[in-house]
């Protein structure tokens, strides 16, 4: 019998096919049974009428426990009332494996229990939906960047020095070379690659040995860093807005069922695709925050509460640009109009998404960059290869980094970032 | 003036545009100068006629050193003889940055010098071509898997235990949890995810603390692991063949210029797309190798020389399937027809590419798997989450892993794998 993926059911109406999957749920009246079957591509209700099937198949219905694997042969029918919903009129059932009593039930489980059983928890409908949204987010990122002439150039994980923060590094004993550090960002490396390929991005795991235990931190998470030659601050912000819009649009187009499962109201996402994002300078943001009652002072970094306050009444993400260079890293270009300002931006998502993107134009002047490296107390010898890039055909260039899990968290509307990566790693967890 | 990417030149013939890039080369007769310009998307020759430009622009031609960055405004013209080649008739030149004397010349440099200057070496035409081929290989992998109903589910880098080899692991001190190990393969994790999403893959860096210094080994390299529920040994091999064909086809379609630069004869690649791959059982391969003069004995693993011998006269890649289970890992399914055989395969590329893919059907029986874990002296407690998967709706399933750098090495035809990743990491190198 021809195999069908549930997501292709629309193409097999009135045909007899076989679906292979797992039993998510079962209801039976004694004469008719409803099996909720999933195969990874989707969910379908299989209807078994006792009088229409063999004794063996009806027996199978009885034997099946939750999570049992099975092959169902039947005819696809369109749901009489609901559009784009299909059912399976069962002809026969082959049991593949009867599951033991499944430890995850519909009752509430504590987060520790669920995290210890992450390998099974992934099967829950909600987790399925988040995994699928993550795939769509990642695919959309690859798509958009290729449309905009970027190619992918993977940056290394083992690095001799750190891009931003010298304290939160994981150190790995490395043969006779002492220690390597796990990358916190590939930015410096893709800056080198733009002189070859013009526009490029990396997309991989990065690592922070931060002790923070919050809803927004993981020790291992996925970042996409993009970098483009001849792109300056304003165009850089345009690329970021374009990327976020493309991701949101992809999710709206491809994740209807996923959003339904997550009971995620997509109205706010539609506005994000249609409207221009808001842009505040850092100075404007501080004034606004103080008006709104924050005790933040000029020159200070924004806290989570501040980010929330700034976006609370906004229906689009908010760029905060042109920060004080004193609180930003050495590689950001200083505003030619104001030496205290860095040409950078953070993008704050709506609905409590927090910071989604950080970007900046990069310092392309050799002397200015070297001075910043010295000011920050970094070892200029370690950055020689990076400053080299300013000796041989320096160009204005800019880039940004987007955190995959934060984007997935925003899209799926879940509270905790640990649900936005298949196997989360935190200060207290490296298992399963 | 409208900006143009060089790769879009065909769409701008007879139009005046601006190209921004770097000077790769310069020839001048005193009255006419030829500038080879690159912008990352491609290369174009700009023709400057002294009598047709301002004194300032002609002065710029004199001042420009190799690797200087510049913006050229001019009119695009189609090459009178060569198809798909365009030139730029220069109107004006803006110098962005004059490069210092560039350390990489056309003369031969030693590999250590080039590796120390990898951040600059990437700009060489050949390295540009390899970077672009790598992007096409990676994109093709993502494409093919989505066509075949796989979604991407990233597996963790920090792991508590190892998938295959317990000796070649990088250990990382991890807060109060002792040590985490850097992943050598995400396979076990994506096996868990298939019960949620049916078919999935991961695509990220993996790590081997192997002391081998060969042309085919890196300590950090990129792997794609795919896993599919309800797929058995034969179908698994079909997916692998389909993937390799799709990658090769994509490279043939998209990398014409790159292959030209690498002087890579693409005739062998065309055969790979068109013909069916060869399949030998391990036993057949051993007989063949012995006939060909190898001193390999039944039950032994194949060496590089053996792989070369088996594929030397083949115009398609060669699967070697059904290996002795004694020399294969615990998770491979035992052939129901022969308990000494594992249902697995290696795919050996042609043209000296070596092993490209390793795959197998996985053991889905709880008792059989547990026995293999014990036989291998592994800690069953550590694998409890993995054996769990066989308790709740076990299904026949299979998967495989493809090494990105090996595939790129084969496609680009370069000798050494260190050129197939932007910033290679080896036993002796973590810089730049």
């Amino acid at each position: 019998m021809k195999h069908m993926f549930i997501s292709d059911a629309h193409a097999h109406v009135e045909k007899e096919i076989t679906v292979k999957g797992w039993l998510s749920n079962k209801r039976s009246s004694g004469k008719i049974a409803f099996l909720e079957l999933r195969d990874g591509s989707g969910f379908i209700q299989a209807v078994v009428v006792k009088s229409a099937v063999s004794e063996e198949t009806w027996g199978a219905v009885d034997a099946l426990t939750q999570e049992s694997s099975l092959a169902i042969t039947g005819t696809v029918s369109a749901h009489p009332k609901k559009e784009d919903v299909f059912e399976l009129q069962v002809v026969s059932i082959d049991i593949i494996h009867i599951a033991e009593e499944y430890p995850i039930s519909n009752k509430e489980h504590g987060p520790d229990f669920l995290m210890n059983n992450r390998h099974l928890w992934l099967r829950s409908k909600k987790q399925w939906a988040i995994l699928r949204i993550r795939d769509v987010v990642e695919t959309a990122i690859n798509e958009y960047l290729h449309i905009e002439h970027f190619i992918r150039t993977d940056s290394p994980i083992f690095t001799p020095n750190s891009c931003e923060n010298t304290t939160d590094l994981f150190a790995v004993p490395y043969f006779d070379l002492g220690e390597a550090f796990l990358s916190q960002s590939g930015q410096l490396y893709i800056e080198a690659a733009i002189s070859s390929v013009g526009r490029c991005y990396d997309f991989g795991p990065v690592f922070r040995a931060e002790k923070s235990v919050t809803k927004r931190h993981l020790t291992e998470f996925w970042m996409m860093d993009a970098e483009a030659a001849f792109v300056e601050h304003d165009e850089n912000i345009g690329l970021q807005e374009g990327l976020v819009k493309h991701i949101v649009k992809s999710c709206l187009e491809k994740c209807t069922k996923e959003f339904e499962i997550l009971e995620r109201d997509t109205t706010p996402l539609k506005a994000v695709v249609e409207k221009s994002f808001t842009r505040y300078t850092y100075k404007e943001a501080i004034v606004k925050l103080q008006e709104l009652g924050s005790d933040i002072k000029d020159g200070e970094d924004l806290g989570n509460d501040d980010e929330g306050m700034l976006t609370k009444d906004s229906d689009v993400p908010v760029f905060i640009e042109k920060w004080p260079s004193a609180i930003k890293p050495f590689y950001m270009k200083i505003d030619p109009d104001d030496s205290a300002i860095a040409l950078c931006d953070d993008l704050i998502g709506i609905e409590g998404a927090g910071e989604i993107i950080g970007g900046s134009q990069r310092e392309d002047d050799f002397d200015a960059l070297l001075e910043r490296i010295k000011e920050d107390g970094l070892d200029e010898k370690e950055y020689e290869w990076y400053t080299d890039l300013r000796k041989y055909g320096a160009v204005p260039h800019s880039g940004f980094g987007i955190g995959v899990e934060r984007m997935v968290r925003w899209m799926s509307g879940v509270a905790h970032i640990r649900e936005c990566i298949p196997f989360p790693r935190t200060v207290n967890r490296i298992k399963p």
Side-chain angles (χ1 to χ4, degrees), chain A residues 130-131 133-139 141-142 202-206 218 220-225 243 247 355-357 401-412 417 419-422:
Chain A
I130 300 169
L131 285 178
I133 289 174
R134 183 180 169 104
D135 174 62
V136 171
V137 167
E138 293 183 326
T139 300
I141 291 173
N142 283 318
D202 64 20
F203 199 165
V206 289
L218 296 164
E220 173 187 319
F221 54 100
W222 285 68
M223 268 298 263
M224 188 287 291
D225 297 294
L243 173 62
I247 295 171
E355 185 190 331
I356 299 294
I357 290 184
I402 184 166
V404 171
E405 288 76 17
R406 289 188 177 187
M407 197 67 206
V408 173
R409 178 170 167 265
W410 174 25
M411 288 304 98
S412 53
I417 202 151
E419 297 185 38
C420 300
I421 185 165

Side-chain angles (χ1 to χ4, degrees), chain A residues 127-383:
Chain A
Q127 300 305 313
W128 173 86
I130 300 169
L131 285 178
R132 305 253 311 176
I133 289 174
R134 183 180 169 104
D135 174 62
V136 171
V137 167
E138 293 183 326
T139 300
I141 291 173
N142 283 318
E143 271 172 12
Y144 178 79
L145 290 165
H146 280 97
I147 292 169
E148 293 293 341
H149 287 84
F150 290 74
I151 72 161
R152 181 170 152 182
T153 53
D154 302 302
S155 58
I157 307 299
F158 288 134
T159 58
N161 49 25
S162 123
C163 182
E164 288 196 39
N165 190 324
T166 47
T167 55
D168 295 334
L169 288 169
F170 283 104
V172 189
Y174 196 90
F175 304 108
D176 302 330
L177 300 181
E179 281 180 330
F181 300 98
L182 299 184
S183 180
Q184 294 191 328
S185 161
Q187 177 203 316
L188 306 193
Y189 290 97
I190 58 172
E191 278 191 63
I194 57 166
S195 304
S196 173
V197 299
R199 294 179 168 206
C200 59
Y201 69 103
D202 64 20
F203 199 165
V206 289
F207 305 86
R208 296 224 173 148
E210 227 176 321
K211 289 223 161 175
S212 328
V213 180
T214 80
K215 286 186 178 179
R216 296 200 291 184
H217 285 87
L218 296 164
T219 55
E220 173 187 319
F221 54 100
W222 285 68
M223 268 298 263
M224 188 287 291
D225 297 294
E227 196 73 27
F230 306 107
V231 164
E232 302 186 32
H233 177 66
D234 276 329
E235 192 178 351
N236 191 34
I237 285 188
L239 285 167
Q240 293 165 48
E241 181 165 338
L243 173 62
V244 171
K245 284 188 150 84
H246 186 78
I247 295 171
V248 176
K249 199 160 161 272
S250 290
C251 289
L252 286 171
E253 282 168 10
K254 298 182 184 172
C255 300
T256 319
K257 294 216 167 115
E258 290 80 354
F259 285 140
E260 244 175 66
I261 288 168
L262 294 165
E263 297 176 5
R264 204 251 188 261
D265 176 11
T266 55
T267 321
L269 298 182
K270 285 168 193 153
V272 171
V273 174
E274 283 157 20
K275 294 188 183 177
S276 289
F277 293 3
T278 301
R279 262 171 89 162
Y280 296 135
T281 62
Y282 170 84
K283 273 191 206 309
E284 289 167 348
I286 294 295
V287 170
K288 205 168 166 70
L289 283 168
Q290 287 169 343
E291 282 169 12
L292 290 167
S294 168
D295 54 4
I296 194 167
K297 290 179 190 62
D298 194 9
E300 288 180 351
D301 203 354
L302 270 67
N304 288 345
D305 291 348
D306 297 314
E307 291 175 0
M309 226 180 258
L310 263 189
T311 49
K312 197 168 61 72
D313 297 323
S314 178
D315 56 357
V316 289
V318 173
F319 283 107
I320 306 171
E321 61 171 338
K322 300 188 177 175
W323 290 60
S325 61
I327 56 169
K328 287 291 176 182
F330 71 93
Y331 50 73
M332 293 187 177
K333 191 167 181 70
I334 302 300
D335 189 343
D337 299 331
D338 183 345
S339 63
I341 296 295
L343 289 176
C344 64
D345 69 276
D346 284 358
L347 179 64
I348 317 296
I350 54 169
E351 305 178 280
E355 185 190 331
I356 299 294
I357 290 184
S360 72
Q361 187 167 342
R362 320 303 190 185
E363 186 51 74
D364 51 42
D365 180 77
F366 181 84
D367 295 326
L369 181 64
L370 197 61
E371 204 184 304
R372 294 291 305 274
I373 287 174
K374 285 179 186 164
E375 275 173 19
D376 277 15
L378 297 168
D379 181 357
E380 59 180 285
K381 188 80 195 142
E382 283 292 317
Y383 289 92

Side-chain angles (χ1 to χ4, degrees), chain A residues 16 45-49 72-77 87-92:
Chain A
E16 194 173 305
Q45 178 164 275
V47 184
V48 199
V49 178
I72 296 187
T73 297
T75 306
V76 180
S77 61
E87 287 188 337
L88 209 51
Q89 308 303 324
V90 174
V91 174
S92 67

